Amino acid sequence: MSQRRNTPQRKTIEALLEQSTSPILPKDLHLQAQQTLPNLGIATVFRALKDLVAEGGVRVVEIPGDSPRYESIKRNHHHHFKCNKCEVVFCIEGCPGNLETMLNPGFELSNHDITLFGTCAGCS
Amino acid sequence: MSQRRNTPQRKTIEALLEQSTSPILPKDLHLQAQQTLPNLGIATVFRALKDLVAEGGVRVVEIPGDSPRYESIKRNHHHHFKCNKCEVVFCIEGCPGNLETMLNPGFELSNHDITLFGTCAGCS
DNA sequence: GTTGTTGCAAATCGTTTGCAATGAT
DNA sequence: ATCATTGCAAACGATTTGCAACAAC
């Protein structure tokens, strides 16, 4: 099988993901990583993200209307809020729970995704 | 300003959206509409969807991992469930509500999006 | 006849892939 | 010296756009 190699590219990408306080878009991750590695290609970013998601170190965050963002799995279960004005995405702790009750009999719940929209504290 | 014209293309697309019991992908809508209008172009489907969403007759449904689906606004507020096995998307009535309590002070909630994942009755 | 609408093809955006060169082990 | 990884460019799928022909009004 394939043993993973510890390249500067991957180290940089992983570090940026761990430092970020909100989920990042691949293109922003690419821009930020290029400050350290100017020749870094966007394909390498996507490959690293795919590997990290497969290994379970990173999770995909989908905000309706946007392309996928990525965040480190180090943060525990939470959801996201996107401000309609400044477009910033915030992580929000807490979860309504009890979602199984929404399902008809015979349906089994494995996971869920909640996105809230509105105006953030700074914009309102 | 632009007055909308009642073309066969738009009538067909609107009718299909109203008949559907679950949100549809543009490419499926295109395929279905082509049974009536064989020369219908995919661009016309996207243009009609954009207009319908702008007018408020149709709503966008985003299931994480998939491209956007569309559904008639005639169905009232509800959420969606995607089966991990058969990949079918179901509408589910009901809503946990009380989501404002998840937000920090200063944040205002305008709308929300919930997607549940798991196994549907037919697959489990 | 005016002008919104269409189909087509080309363009765009985000993402993936093939491949030869490179670098970690 | 292996063989995973890289950067680049080409390929891709979904969506958008320009434009000349067309059709609803």
Side-chain angles (χ1 to χ4, degrees), chain B residues 3-14:
Chain B
Q3 46 249 328
R4 207 122 280 166
R5 286 181 186 178
N6 221 20
T7 64
Q9 287 85 336
R10 283 215 242 258
K11 270 185 277 192
T12 304
I13 290 166
E14 263 187 83

Side-chain angles (χ1 to χ4, degrees), chain A residues 5 7 9-10 44 47:
Chain A
R5 289 181 185 178
T7 64
Q9 288 84 338
R10 286 219 241 258
T44 300
R47 281 188 279 237

Side-chain angles (χ1 to χ4, degrees), chain A residues 2-13:
Chain A
S2 53
Q3 47 251 327
R4 207 122 279 167
R5 289 181 185 178
N6 219 20
T7 64
Q9 288 84 338
R10 286 219 241 258
K11 270 185 277 191
T12 304
I13 291 166

